[in-house]
Amino acid sequence: MRKVLLPALIIIGASLLIIRVFYLQIIDDSFKLKSENNAIKIKYDYPERGYIYDRNGVLLVANQPSYDIMVIPRELNNTDTLEFCKLLNITKDDFIKKIEKAKVYSPRLPSVFLAQLNKNEFAAFQEKIRKFEGFYFQKRSLRDYEVDYGANIFGFITQANEKLIEKNHYYKSGDLIGKQGVEESYEKILRGIKGVKYFQKDKFNREIGSYKEGKYDTIAVQGEDINLTIDAEIQKYGEQLMINKRGGIVAIEPKTGEILALVTAPSYDPGILVGRQRSKNYTKLYHDSIAKPLYDRGLLAEYPPGSPFKIMTGLVGLQEEVIDEQTTFVCNHGFSYARGRFQGCHCGIFGPRSLNVGIYKSCNAYFSNVYLKTIAKYKKPAYSVDVWSNHVKSFGLGQFMGYDLPTGKKGNIPTSKTYKKIYPNGGWRGTTIISNAIGQGEVLMTPIQLANMMSAVANEGYYYTPHIIKKIKGEKIDAKFTTKHVTTIDKKYFPPMIQGLFDVYNHGTAYALKVEGIDICGKTGTAENFAKIDGVRTKMQDHSIFVAFAPKDNPKIAIAVLVENGGYGATIAGPIASLMIEKYLRKKITRTDLETRVLNISLQGRYAKLGGLSEEVKKQLRIQDSITNSKIKAAKKLDSLKTKKQ
């Protein structure tokens, strides 16, 4: 048996090898294509990227022709560098550096020598390209921005780096790829499929025709067009309202989770990251460590949410049945929660507060009492905190939300583990962590999380994952964006909370921000803010925060506005929210008084304090701030008088 088995195995193995060699050499000559690489020239045909439209079909991003000068170092021959550099307006040092870089990549393969020439630059070079052996041009398509806003949404196009090329063999040296925004998220859809053409070369390195009569050639396939959920009009308007301010605005359609506006301020014109100046302009933006125009505050900035978080405190209290609508707590300009510990409040004169009054007056004492009762419900504070935390997290807080943009932060909703780390020896209780009740303490949220929270409230207990894609030509959007997420709060507890938010506009902290004919539910907020100036932790002007949705019945927009160092929530963030809501629902503005007020407010003086200015300049800025603060206090006093009259 052994004598037969061994020869049989040898015969079978040899037969398989012969068959494989025959297949590769006679039938499948794809490997021959690779082996003849030196005699074949490969040219790529780059497709246009897909166009980008808003939810209403408004064209936002198109394409324009561009040309890259490519070089194959091995084929360079007696180049007149002086004439070459003059044609392309570069120095001889630049020329040498670029050639050396190309050699490092590959002496035999083409790489980009100079990218993104426009029509005029290319025309001058095209006439004389025959004089420069080893150089040729590659036609490409660059983005042509139809608008000067929305840069954080779109992202930008840049060359694929060497690390990416090593990981993803689709990309070659000089290929363009989307970075940040939807250009990155939907790169595979927008980029299309590049075509490839193979040309046979003779012994003199001249093209003599198509290789194998075009058998291996492929045609470029244009990228698919996409529609975003963004409303171009309110995106543009939001960016206008945030001029000379820093912060973020996020607006969502509650019934779908579609992002209507995603504003970060300061921002930039997306058009400056196109063409030969792209790298220079990007470097300037990248190194601006003060204003941070590349930093999307709507998705990345984590802030204490302040008073809007009282909505969560109240809903959890109702769900855990430690309060009901009629439960009252007394406010005496604040709340004494421990010996020597007093939490101040500015909700008005001494008296009892119910849930409704607590919301529209934004009473710290009321919600601190609710929080303490919630934490005291169970014997162990650690268990109570986890119960509270789980309720809050069911609104999408304290976690990455799964939206279709490549950047974001998860914020922070503390758990018992948080406090075990902070207090390893124990001894903490409800009074220790009472700041959580009013959105301070360890609680952090991003503007998009605040907007999503309001969407869940507007829907009375559910939300859809926020997303920015509305339609992809020929494809369906990801099913996760049409999957309903239900919170742990029963639906019956939302109506009283919504009524309180409605009364914020009727006779509460946002009374002066009403828009006639639109029933808006909202909540003002301020968040304490500290910064290091000359190495000292310094108390800065509070952040101005406002969250809202409208109309009260069948809501069509939920919004969160945060203005850094803006002061009271009703001063800057509140007016912006009211204006954005009216702009979206009516396509026009009747509260022109609010619009003028917001457009004329500049907070650059406050921000400049962080830039290491001279003492004389700081003195002038302090004077400006003093005047601004006086105006803010006067406006608040007027609003308070109107509230009392109401």
Side-chain angles (χ1 to χ4, degrees), residues 567-581:
Y568 296 117
T571 303
I572 300 179
I576 290 174
S578 290
L579 291 167
M580 290 284 285
I581 287 171

Side-chain angles (χ1 to χ4, degrees), residues 95-336:
F95 179 90
I96 294 170
K97 287 177 183 177
K98 291 177 184 296
I99 294 298
E100 290 302 317
K101 184 178 179 181
K103 287 179 179 178
V104 170
Y105 172 70
S106 174
R108 297 185 300 104
L109 297 177
S111 59
V112 175
F113 178 85
L114 196 62
Q116 301 184 8
L117 276 69
N118 60 35
K119 288 181 180 179
N120 295 331
E121 292 170 328
F122 171 69
F125 181 76
Q126 186 184 26
E127 292 179 4
K128 299 186 178 182
I129 193 170
R130 67 185 183 280
K131 297 173 62 176
F132 307 113
E133 291 185 39
F135 290 95
Y136 69 95
F137 69 88
Q138 176 73 63
K139 187 177 180 180
R140 297 187 192 273
S141 167
L142 292 184
R143 280 315 203 183
D144 184 16
Y145 294 97
E146 308 300 307
V147 297
D148 60 0
Y149 52 85
N152 62 309
I153 295 171
F154 306 138
F156 54 89
I157 306 298
T158 187
Q159 286 187 25
N161 58 41
E162 292 179 11
K163 288 184 178 179
L164 177 65
I165 292 170
E166 289 176 6
K167 291 180 180 178
N168 190 332
H169 297 302
Y170 175 86
Y171 298 98
K172 307 296 179 185
S173 177
D175 282 6
L176 301 178
I177 187 171
K179 286 290 182 184
Q180 299 183 12
V182 295
E183 295 282 18
E184 180 174 335
S185 294
Y186 293 96
E187 163 68 8
K188 288 185 179 180
I189 291 169
L190 290 169
R191 77 184 181 194
I193 302 173
K194 60 187 174 186
V196 184
K197 292 183 179 180
Y198 299 92
F199 295 92
Q200 185 78 44
K201 297 188 292 184
D202 63 15
K203 63 181 180 179
F204 299 108
N205 204 35
R206 296 175 300 191
E207 290 183 18
I208 58 174
S210 179
Y211 179 75
K212 293 283 185 180
E213 298 181 348
K215 178 180 179 180
Y216 299 104
D217 294 353
T218 58
I219 299 173
V221 179
Q222 183 173 346
E224 296 292 351
D225 298 342
I226 63 174
N227 284 75
L228 303 182
T229 60
I230 294 295
D231 183 297
E233 281 300 308
I234 67 164
Q235 176 70 29
K236 179 181 179 180
Y237 189 54
E239 292 194 20
Q240 290 174 342
L241 295 175
M242 289 295 287
I243 291 175
N244 292 321
K245 307 166 190 70
R246 293 180 192 165
I249 304 172
V250 182
I252 296 174
E253 184 178 68
K255 291 294 187 288
T256 62
E258 294 178 355
I259 299 172
L260 303 171
L262 180 61
V263 176
T264 182
S267 188
Y268 59 93
D269 182 344
I272 68 173
L273 295 186
V274 176
R276 289 179 65 182
Q277 298 301 311
R278 189 204 73 80
S279 181
K280 181 180 177 181
N281 292 335
Y282 180 81
T283 300
K284 286 182 180 179
L285 295 172
Y286 181 81
H287 288 293
D288 186 349
S289 59
I290 304 300
K292 299 180 180 179
L294 293 174
Y295 182 69
D296 193 331
R297 287 170 165 86
L299 304 177
L300 289 168
E302 298 170 300
Y303 305 96
S307 291
F309 194 74
K310 293 171 182 174
I311 298 169
M312 292 289 93
T313 303
L315 287 172
V316 175
L318 290 168
Q319 181 66 37
E320 288 299 310
E321 299 181 340
V322 297
I323 61 165
D324 57 30
E325 292 180 58
Q326 285 71 44
T327 303
T328 60
F329 299 102
V330 174
C331 179
N332 186 15
H333 301 292
F335 174 49
S336 180

Side-chain angles (χ1 to χ4, degrees), residues 87 98 321 354 616 637 643:
L87 275 172
K98 291 177 184 296
E321 299 181 340
S354 63
E616 180 60 31
K637 187 174 181 180
T643 301

Side-chain angles (χ1 to χ4, degrees), residues 3-22:
K3 291 180 180 180
V4 176
L5 182 60
L6 184 59
L9 290 174
I10 293 172
I11 293 170
I12 293 171
S15 299
L16 291 173
L17 285 173
I18 291 169
I19 292 169
R20 181 61 176 165
V21 169
F22 176 81

Side-chain angles (χ1 to χ4, degrees), residues 422-462:
I422 299 174
Y423 305 101
N425 297 322
W428 61 274
R429 54 187 62 83
T431 54
T432 313
I433 57 176
I434 196 169
S435 294
N436 291 335
I438 57 173
Q440 298 283 166
E442 285 68 50
V443 177
L444 293 173
M445 292 170 62
T446 60
I448 193 169
Q449 288 176 326
L450 277 166
N452 190 66
M453 177 188 81
M454 290 306 287
S455 289
V457 174
N459 291 334
E460 297 187 1
Y462 71 88

Side-chain angles (χ1 to χ4, degrees), residues 582-599:
E582 183 177 24
K583 185 73 170 178
Y584 180 66
L585 295 179
R586 288 180 171 165
K587 312 302 180 186
K588 63 179 182 178
I589 296 297
T590 60
R591 288 299 308 267
T592 54
D593 57 323
L594 289 182
E595 183 179 58
T596 301
R597 175 176 155 193
V598 170
L599 292 174

Side-chain angles (χ1 to χ4, degrees), residues 609 613-626:
K609 288 182 179 181
L613 302 176
S614 66
E615 286 303 317
E616 180 60 31
V617 174
K618 286 182 179 180
K619 181 179 178 182
Q620 294 300 318
L621 293 174
R622 282 195 291 270
I623 293 172
Q624 292 177 20
D625 266 358
S626 177

